[in-house]
Amino acid sequence: MRANLVCLWAFIAARNSIAVNSIDDELVIPNETESAGSADQTCSILKSSNSPENNTYTVGKKEREEPEIVEELEIGLDGDTKINAVLFSNETIIKYPFGEELTLKPLPRNFMLASFAFELQSNNFTVGKTESAYDTYRHYTVFPKALSPILEYTQTRQLHLRFTHGRWDAESWGQLPHNGTKSGGNGVELWAVVEAGSQHEAFENWIMLANSLSGLFCSSINFIDVEKTTYPVSSFQPAEERTIPIFNSSNQAYLLRAALANEPICTENLTPFLKLLPTRGRSGISSLLDGHKVFDSNWHSLSIDVETSCNGDTCQYQMEENIEMVFNVPNSLARADNPIPKPVRDSDLQCDESKPHDSWECFPLPQSKHTNFQLSKLFGKKILGSNLISENPSKVCAQVSDSWTVYVGIDDDLFATDDNCFTIKNDQLHDIHLKSDNTAHLKECEDVPLFVSRSLTGYGQDSGGLRTVFSNPSNESVQAIYFESLPWYMRLYLSSLKIESDAGLEIGDVIKSTFYLPAIDRERPTHLEFNITIPAETTLALTYQFDKALLKYAEYPPDANHGFEIESALVTVLTPIHYEMRTTTLLLSLSTPDFSMPYNVIILTSTVMGLAFGTLFNLMVKKLVTIEEADKKASAKVGLKAKLIAKLKKLKGKGDKVNQLKKDQ
Amino acid sequence: MNLRELQVVVACVASRFGTSTVFPFLQQQLDKSVEFSTPVTSYRSLQEGVFLLRNEFPLYSGGVVHHAPLLVALISVFNSETMVSLLYACADALVAYQLIAMAKYFRSSSLPSWVPGALYVINPLVLLSSVSKSSIVFSNLAISTALLTALQGNWVCSAVSIAVASYLSLYPLTLIVPLLALLRNHKLKTLSTAAVTLAALLLSSYKQNDESWNYLFSTYGVIMTFSKIIPNLGLWWYFFVELFEMFIPFFKAVFNLFAVSCIIPFSLRFHKQPFYAFLLCLFWITLTKPYPTLGDGGFLLSFIPFFKPLYGYFRYSVISTLLFIHVSVLSPIFYHLWVDLGSGNSNFFYAISLVYALGLATVLVDLVWAMLRIEYDKGKPNLHLKLTPI
């Protein structure tokens, strides 16, 4: 029986490899290495030594080795194909708790949201048996092996990581996908529920977690430190239906959160995301994900949520991974046709003919309402079949109105379904065709309950203000929590909090409760949480003032004059719906010292101090005498000097004599 | 108090209070200027303290409030801004009155006694400092009270005042040394009274601050360790911005030692003129303290009329006058160029702070020199005599 199972395993492996192999042969990706090189050049690399290149290299090597093994296996198994085929079609083969779905949603003005969702679960594990214990073993199956030990030794019960970049145009695109719960502020955002005996221990675990994730995701998450970490009170709360399992009853769960606003999101961050998936981006919908295309979008967000759920002593990790992006479809298609942008030839110009036009002058027509494109044009690849290991086949859905027709293309055949959802079952190449004669006709975008925008006020580099505008367009009042974490070098004056409102609202009408933890220099950020109520159809602004501190010479980043990124604020809407949104990040410019001056400053300041002290000391310890007296004494001193000179001369004379004696000898 | 003196005092209240009420924005502007406000004296930080106190937030858990707890509690009693303005105006007028009272102890001087007070009233540095509601006004008041009551021989009052001054801004604690020379018959009593008062103030602050000692670091620790690096006219800020990290603790100790280094020498050398010794010490503190403002400088310069007999001996009076004019004209301009326009850099303002230090140092050196000269001449100025120290 056991042998049989092993055989089955080998076959599945072989089959998968063959599939991958054959697809690799078919798929012609021109200049892949060249473009990868250019991508690396565009990324600013400020990373830890755990570089992704190493990882990629080893994996690639393995895969290169695999086909050889496959061939051997094929030879061995050649006679038994029939039996194996029967086995394979049988539903008894192991299917893993993994699901993936791609949702396509056209947005106004020819934008399109592509949202990849992956869900997976770990095998059960028992509380109290650590991974490193010698008599325990663990199967990982689909759950990433890299993540589980990190979660275990940092005692992390919930982990939420967000990599987001770009601006979500809420006014035109409506609500964020997943009610905003899966996207972060610009840069990297991390929050976690950590089990620990004390807050100090929780913080140590947290730093360990950040450092480990930093290596895993090829990003500077290790820059998270005490200056950036907050302990949110009413924001970032775990969903109520989930209880946080505590493994040791004397411990407590701590919620910690930090964000790095100036962290660039790049291809090197996507690769580790794909590696966490059991399909490794080699089959299923994840095969579409290519760094060049994902990061060429107007807005993109990568997120990971890991939660621990327990039933008695047996526990399980549940992980959700979301990769979402918004494309400008015409731009992306044009880029696919013509990777190097060139001016349009005058014969291809679509000019407004009611106005004067020639090859020099052209008023372009509005964008065409007709569209017809394939997903493979947007992503540069076709879907490489289903994921093959999951209990659920891969799924692709398009949320479109009647004006759109969506087909799935397998080889040259096109198929359509009623609900525009397709399941991808076999390992053939799939492509999605989208066609519309009125791209403006879309499925209703749901309006956001609240618009929030935040900006810096003031012009000097020594002080400034923050102004946050809340606008509630609906006819219901909105209750929300405003969370803000500001670096310590913004010295906030909460007493300067003012409200600007046409409706004549007072602070007490809007801010129902405040949590305020002021910053401590180099030890803690300002942590501010307002429980706010915005009345229906009202716009109001909250302003407060702050001073900017001067940092020490070595605390400035290399590009100090660029400014400091201030992380985005989070608004959690509680009623009428649960929704999360973030403001944009801000760029704060601090006054800088002259970085070339250290020695000069030390010398000049010391000179002034020495001058003052020296002169005073001189005056106080010396005796005042008239100049005549002083001269007399000075001449007396000259006598002494003369004596000395005479003595020296004497010595010299002696020396000469000695020399002469020597010469004589 | 004669009519002229009364006029001076009333003019003082009227000018301060009037400017605050007529130009309410002037206060905010001045409070933001580095010449008149520092993190440990600024009014907006005091207001933040009052706000936190009223809303029952812990006062010193953050890094914004550096005022003494009792001062915050005192200001929080006043509800209206006008009352606070009046309080500052009255405190300043009291200083003016005390200067007049002090002048009466120097009858040998040919100046009428109201002149120092009048000069204090019209001194723009003091006026602007008072309008900016810098808490240095209260320290100055406490120091001048200590000096006046010491002249009067009222050792209790003097000891209490100097304790209050040191409670408000730490470094006046060292002024107790020259004060003991003034009250030479009650040294022990003065010292113990000051110590008891200071202890009482600290203890009541401890009670006021929800039985927590954390205010000690936020008020005095911040001054001694210079942990808020903000541009000011002192010698410390740019030095510690630019200094390499590993040397910072050592140089903080050196700078603190420097700030107290001349106190005992002055008090010993001029123990026969304790009033002058006291002022020289005050000068020295203003020169070396980590967070000086022009308010300190203005207060000091108000004592210059008392040195009238020495005027003839001053060697650098032109230079020091020019240096002060140079500072007061260029400092706001250079700061603006650096911070607002970005067309200058920090060295511009640093240069100005060096010039200010040089200005104070030349005045101090001149005063010491003049004092030594008049000592040599035994009180009868003989300006033609050329002397030199050897």
Side-chain angles (χ1 to χ4, degrees), chain A residues 555-622:
Chain A
E555 285 170 339
Y556 285 94
D559 54 347
N561 285 306
H562 166 78
F564 293 74
E565 300 263 1
I566 305 301
E567 61 190 72
S568 47
L570 169 78
V571 181
T572 316
V573 178
L574 304 173
T575 56
I577 55 162
H578 182 79
Y579 185 73
E580 282 179 18
M581 73 184 102
R582 283 164 176 84
T583 62
T584 50
T585 52
L586 301 170
L587 194 59
L588 181 81
S589 55
L590 295 187
S591 46
T592 53
D594 184 340
F595 293 103
S596 64
M597 286 282 279
Y599 294 101
N600 304 351
V601 170
I602 293 167
I603 291 164
L604 288 171
T605 306
S606 307
T607 306
V608 171
M609 285 166 71
L611 198 67
F613 186 82
T615 321
L616 289 173
F617 184 78
N618 212 7
L619 282 176
M620 282 192 297
V621 294
K622 285 187 176 173

Side-chain angles (χ1 to χ4, degrees), chain A residues 222-269:
Chain A
N222 56 326
F223 285 172
I224 287 176
D225 54 9
V226 68
E227 280 180 30
K228 297 199 168 81
T229 306
T230 49
Y231 299 83
V233 175
S234 38
S235 304
F236 297 99
Q237 296 302 311
E240 274 172 19
E241 61 266 27
R242 298 246 186 205
T243 48
I244 309 278
I246 301 290
F247 291 176
N248 181 348
S249 56
S250 63
N251 284 349
Q252 262 186 302
Y254 291 89
L255 174 64
L256 297 98
R257 182 261 177 196
L260 300 163
N262 55 349
E263 181 69 17
I265 315 297
C266 212
T267 8
E268 61 202 7
N269 304 123

Side-chain angles (χ1 to χ4, degrees), chain B residues 2-13 15-16 92-103 111-127 298 301-303 305-306:
Chain B
N2 61 27
L3 186 65
R4 187 54 65 77
E5 289 161 13
L6 194 67
Q7 278 170 347
V8 166
V9 172
V10 170
C12 188
V13 176
S15 60
R16 270 69 173 161
D92 226 21
L94 211 52
V95 177
Y97 169 71
Q98 283 170 343
L99 284 172
I100 294 168
M102 271 180 242
L111 275 178
S113 60
W114 57 269
V115 171
L119 284 175
Y120 183 82
V121 173
I122 59 166
N123 187 341
L125 301 183
V126 181
L127 172 69
L301 295 179
S302 311
F303 286 98
F306 292 102

Side-chain angles (χ1 to χ4, degrees), chain A residues 605-651:
Chain A
T605 306
S606 307
T607 306
V608 171
M609 285 166 71
L611 198 67
F613 186 82
T615 321
L616 289 173
F617 184 78
N618 212 7
L619 282 176
M620 282 192 297
V621 294
K622 285 187 176 173
K623 207 168 79 179
L624 278 193
V625 287
T626 56
I627 289 183
E628 293 85 53
E629 279 177 71
D631 281 347
K632 255 186 218 164
K633 286 199 172 177
S635 57
K637 260 183 194 169
V638 170
L640 225 160
K641 215 178 189 177
K643 268 182 198 170
L644 270 173
I645 291 164
K647 263 193 177 177
L648 274 173
K649 271 184 181 169
K650 247 185 185 177
L651 276 171

